[in-house]
Structures are given as structure tokens and as C-alpha cells.
Amino acid sequence: MKNIGIAIMAILMLACTDNFDEINENPNLPETVAPQFLLSNIISVAADRNTYEQGFNLSNYLAQFSASVEFERIDRYEMGSNSDYWNIIFRLQSDIRSMQEMEGSNEAYVAVGNIMRSYLFSQLTDLYGDVPYTDAVNALDGNFSPAYDTQESIYMDPETGILAVLANSVETLKSTNSTIQGDMMFNNDLNQWIRFANSLRVRYYLRVSNKITDFSTLQSIVANEDLMQSNADNAVVPYLSSAPNQWPMSFAGLGLYQEHRMTQTVDSVLSLWNDPRVEILYKPSEQSLQEGNPQFVGLQNGQSRETIASKGINLSNISLFGSIFRDVPNGVDGQFMQYAELQFALAEASLRNLIQGNATEYYQAGIRASFDYWGANLPADYFSRPAIALTGNIQEDLVKIMTQKWLSLINNGHEAWFNVRRTGIPNLQPGPDNLNGGRYPVRYLYPESEQATNAENFQAAAERIGGNTINSKGWWESE
């Protein structure tokens, strides 16, 4: 029963409050808030922010699913700090802690909260590098200047690291007799939370795979743990057809929608594959429809309005995003992770001999899952096409696996960007009017508020990562 939807507005009012105590000061709310209401809030807000704000409006440009025609300067790598999301993550962390500690909570809420906590902190460190982690939510106790942890320790610390916390959460959920309520993603099914947590562990082991040498735990997860089994296990929360729970782009201004154009990058890939998913993800250009010959046409990323005009590019002959992103208010889901991503991760791990398994089987399962998720028909000859079939050439096969994975991650926050940064696949090139000296960016800037209120810790972290610039690589991607 995932049709509860992405944003329950009565609960959304509880989201992201600077001080949880303020909830109890609101005379229009009950004196106590049960943990299920905070859980609903945490899931819905995190899914919505990841998908719309972070995915569609930001990362789709960085991953070159979208090209801007005028206003979205992130397409030219004017990155900024993305400070709203920084603040949202820390406020949700406070809500998680409150949910875990309040009357009526139990070990299942604690474990589920730790899974969400781990997901959110992975977002934070992969967007910025070193960030507050072990001290992060101590603002509730009056510590407003938390220390920054290294990205390596955030992932790998044997006691407090993300991978350790996820493993412990899985063990708790396996053995608990406690239950949860308020979970619109998995309908309070703790087995699906176990699958999600283990699938996140696979995601994060691949994330750090260039910096570690022992993959025995990854192999053990694949061989012995419960992972997502199909799209039925996708960690997604559907938007609804009625207000106020609709996909935000369905009621946004037309100009904002028209800023998101198909890119030459995705056009070239989908054309090479002769891939029918193009008909769902994008629309034929208006001009081609008027001419009676529907065509999908992409625009080069990173061009200014003046450059587009000087080239005589007719924007009516550039494709927009598909109807599911505009014309259908419940056409997409709020996303955390899909089964397809897991299968592509396992294909990569198998190809690189990090685990035992058949890379081709995982790869084809990922493709099938992606087609099924988007409601596209898989052509009978698809797996035998030269541009698709794995041949045994490891580097060429890796490119095919990672490019299919990249496409499957469209709209899923910054996940496609994280993978591009880790692998260089696809080989995305900055556009001609980029504002970063021809370099592909790898992080956002720390928020200015950190410089003002947490200056000592901010400065130490900035120096440690090589400077607070958009080109300072994190631990897992550094050479």
C-alpha cells in the first residue's frame, strides 16, 4: 500500500523544524507526537527533496539528463552551496533522534531511523566531503559547533560508520518483535527495510570500492543477506494525483519546465541503443511533431543564452522531458533506491571480481527492471544488440553496465552524479560556457552559515579536503 503518497501536508508541517520542542508549543497540535507521525514525515520529506529539488532541479543537469536554455546556471557549473538541503538533512536528523528517543518508540523505530540516518549522511558527505557526523545532532544538547568527520571515517569507522550502522540495523530488525507504523514506503514491513538496508550496503561498498581491498563482507551480503528481489522492493514513495501530494513539476510554472531540455548526451546514448525508454523520458520536439515526423533532439549542456542564440538553435526543435514529468501529477515516484540500481551494482562488482556471480545475468536483470519500472516494452533483440551485449572485454563491458546504470538513476537525487564522479562513466564533458575552467565539478561549497557559526571546524575541514572549492575531491574518489 504505497498509494499513501509522498507528502502528507499535515505531517509536512512537522518537518524540518529548527527546534523539535516547538512542536509541543503549537496549540493546534497535540501535546505529544507519536513516533509514527515523525517517521511519516522523515520518509516523505526526504523522498520529495531527493527527487524533485535535488534530482530533477539540480543533479539532472550535472548528470546531463537536462540541459538549460537560460536560467539554470548549475548547468554551467555555478554550483553554490545547496545550503537548503544541508539544513534539511540536519533537521531531519534531529527528527530521527526525537523519534528514536520519544515515548512510544521501540527498537524497530530506532533501527529504521538509523537506516534513514545513514542514507541522509551518505548524501551529505557525498555532496560536500568531510561533514559533521558524530557530533551532528548534538545541537539538541546545545552544541552548535560540531566537529567535521572525515569521509573515510563516516563510511568506514567500525563502530559509528555508515556501513557498520546499517549492518547493526539489519541485525536488530531480523530479531525484533517490535513493529512500526506510519511507513508509507513499505507499509510497515520490516523485511523490506532489511532489504533496503542491505541494498544500501551494496551501494556504499561500491562507492568506496576504489579505496578498500577487502570485499569479503560485500560477498557475504550478496551470498547470505536479504536484498531487494524485484521492483516490488523499490524504496520509492509515489506522488498522488490530487493536491497537495502531486509531483511539484506538474503544477510549477511553464517556464521552469521548459528550462529542462533533453541533452545531446542522453540523445546520443538512447539513439545508439535504439531504446524505447526515450518515448517515456522525453517528448519529441514540437517542430518535429508539427512536421509530422516526430524526432527526439538534444541540446548541448553548458551553453549560455547568447551562445544558443548565436548558433541559431530553434528551441522548438529541442525535446522537453516526457509527459510523466509534467502532464501527469502522479507520473513519477519520490525515490531513494531501485532494484535496477542494485542489479547494476552487482553486475559491476561481479565484473570486477569483487564478488562471485554472473555479470551478464545481473546486468540483464537491471535492464529488465528499468524497462519495467518506466513501463516500456523491452525489445526481443535488445540484449543481442552490439551496443548492449556484454562481450568479455572488461573495460567495454564496464562502460555498458555503468551507462545503463546512469540512465536508470535519472531523477534519483545526485546518485547518477556520484557514480559518474567515481567511475568517469559516462565521460561527461563540460559545455562551452562552463564557469569552472573546463573542469567537471565534484562537490558543492560548504554553506556560508558554517563559515559564520562554526568557523574553526569549517576551516579545518576545508583545509583537509584541499580547499572549499567545487573541485576538491572526496576520499572515495581521490587518486
Side-chain angles (χ1 to χ4, degrees):
M1 288 190 52
K2 293 183 180 180
N3 60 354
I4 298 174
I6 188 70
I8 302 174
M9 294 308 292
I11 295 204
L12 189 60
M13 292 174 65
L14 304 184
C16 312
T17 181
D18 288 313
N19 185 340
F20 178 67
D21 290 339
E22 291 175 6
I23 293 174
N24 294 332
E25 296 171 3
N26 187 335
N28 298 316
L29 292 175
E31 290 190 7
T32 60
V33 178
Q36 62 261 34
F37 295 114
L38 279 177
L39 179 59
S40 296
N41 173 63
I42 291 160
I43 294 171
S44 63
V45 172
D48 179 50
R49 292 292 184 135
N50 180 63
T51 308
Y52 179 65
E53 175 189 88
Q54 300 300 304
F56 193 81
N57 282 336
L58 294 178
S59 182
N60 276 3
Y61 290 110
L62 297 175
Q64 295 191 5
F65 299 125
S66 299
S68 174
V69 298
E70 185 170 6
F71 297 113
E72 300 296 342
R73 288 170 68 88
I74 191 172
D75 191 32
R76 297 170 58 195
Y77 305 152
E78 186 175 280
M79 300 287 290
S81 67
N82 201 1
S83 59
D84 284 349
Y85 195 47
W86 172 286
N87 294 331
I88 287 290
I89 287 176
F90 281 113
R91 291 167 182 169
L92 287 174
Q93 297 290 0
S94 293
D95 284 351
I96 290 170
R97 176 175 163 177
S98 297
M99 178 189 72
Q100 293 172 325
E101 296 179 352
M102 70 192 316
E103 183 179 354
S105 188
N106 58 47
E107 63 179 356
Y109 281 111
V110 171
V112 167
N114 283 338
I115 293 168
M116 290 303 300
R117 178 177 183 269
S118 297
Y119 165 81
L120 289 166
F121 272 123
S122 77
Q123 292 284 297
L124 199 72
T125 187
D126 293 343
L127 291 171
Y128 296 96
D130 294 0
V131 295
Y133 178 63
T134 53
D135 281 348
V137 295
N138 289 337
L140 289 178
D141 300 326
N143 175 15
F144 298 104
S145 300
Y148 285 54
D149 298 77
T150 66
Q151 188 174 75
E152 180 178 7
S153 67
I154 291 170
Y155 273 112
M156 303 304 300
D157 186 281
E159 300 295 329
T160 63
I162 286 172
L163 288 166
V165 171
L166 287 172
N168 291 335
S169 299
V170 167
E171 294 306 311
T172 297
L173 294 179
K174 282 181 181 179
S175 61
T176 189
N177 292 319
S178 300
T179 60
I180 61 172
Q181 297 180 20
D183 168 22
M184 79 281 287
M185 182 159 66
F186 294 133
N187 196 29
N188 308 312
D189 185 339
L190 296 183
N191 289 323
Q192 287 193 292
W193 279 99
I194 290 172
R195 292 170 195 154
F196 177 37
N198 281 325
S199 299
L200 285 176
R201 294 168 74 192
V202 173
R203 174 193 277 183
Y204 300 142
Y205 269 110
L206 268 293
R207 184 87 87 241
V208 304
S209 61
N210 293 332
K211 304 298 288 187
I212 64 174
T213 57
D214 182 0
F215 294 95
S216 57
T217 301
L218 177 61
Q219 173 60 50
S220 178
I221 294 169
V222 175
N224 303 313
E225 298 289 349
D226 197 8
L227 294 164
M228 290 179 174
Q229 299 299 309
S230 70
N231 280 337
D233 291 324
N234 285 347
V236 300
V237 185
Y239 290 91
L240 301 184
S241 59
S242 59
N245 306 323
Q246 299 165 312
W247 164 242
M249 184 51 66
S250 69
F251 56 83
L254 179 62
L256 179 59
Y257 169 63
Q258 292 178 334
E259 272 293 305
H260 298 263
R261 302 296 177 126
M262 185 186 198
T263 68
Q264 285 185 351
T265 301
V266 77
D267 184 13
S268 65
V269 168
L270 292 174
S271 296
L272 175 67
W273 294 346
N274 191 20
D275 197 302
R277 285 173 290 185
V278 69
E279 299 175 4
I280 296 169
L281 299 175
Y282 298 94
K283 294 178 178 178
S285 72
E286 181 182 348
Q287 178 177 313
S288 71
L289 287 173
Q290 292 174 350
E291 294 172 349
N293 182 30
Q295 298 289 323
F296 297 91
V297 183
L299 179 70
Q300 184 181 14
N301 282 92
Q303 298 184 91
S304 68
R305 174 179 58 185
E306 292 75 19
T307 296
I308 292 172
S310 69
K311 291 180 177 179
I313 295 172
N314 181 358
L315 294 180
S316 68
N317 197 35
I318 301 295
S319 294
L320 292 161
F321 268 69
S323 292
I324 60 171
F325 296 100
R326 176 62 180 178
D327 307 320
V328 184
N330 59 341
V332 298
D333 298 323
Q335 298 189 53
F336 295 112
M337 188 177 188
Q338 292 184 36
Y339 171 70
E341 178 194 340
L342 172 66
Q343 293 304 296
F344 291 129
L346 295 175
E348 178 195 350
S350 179
L351 185 74
R352 294 173 55 194
N353 291 318
L354 307 183
I355 62 169
Q356 297 176 0
N358 188 306
T360 298
E361 290 180 1
Y362 288 132
Y363 171 66
Q364 292 184 358
I367 292 173
R368 289 191 188 95
S370 179
F371 270 80
D372 178 65
Y373 179 77
W374 292 113
N377 293 321
L378 181 67
D381 69 337
Y382 192 82
F383 293 132
S384 64
R385 296 175 182 178
I388 303 299
L390 303 187
T391 63
N393 181 306
I394 292 178
Q395 186 55 41
E396 291 180 1
D397 288 352
L398 183 62
V399 170
K400 291 176 180 178
I401 291 169
M402 296 308 301
T403 307
Q404 287 280 353
K405 184 181 183 183
W406 163 78
L407 181 69
S408 77
L409 292 169
I410 189 171
N411 227 42
N412 188 354
H414 286 83
E415 194 60 33
W417 183 49
F418 299 153
N419 277 270
V420 169
R421 284 162 44 194
R422 177 174 65 85
T423 67
I425 303 170
N427 182 18
L428 303 183
Q429 297 300 310
D433 298 318
N434 77 87
L435 303 171
N436 193 36
R439 302 177 68 180
Y440 188 72
V442 297
R443 65 183 292 272
Y444 287 91
L445 303 175
Y446 288 129
E448 291 182 359
S449 60
E450 284 295 291
Q451 302 178 43
T453 63
N454 194 13
E456 182 177 350
N457 290 315
F458 155 79
Q459 190 60 42
E463 291 175 1
R464 191 164 58 232
I465 67 172
N468 185 30
T469 78
I470 64 174
N471 301 309
S472 294
K473 292 184 177 181
W475 165 75
W476 54 254
E477 62 192 308
S478 60
E479 297 176 356

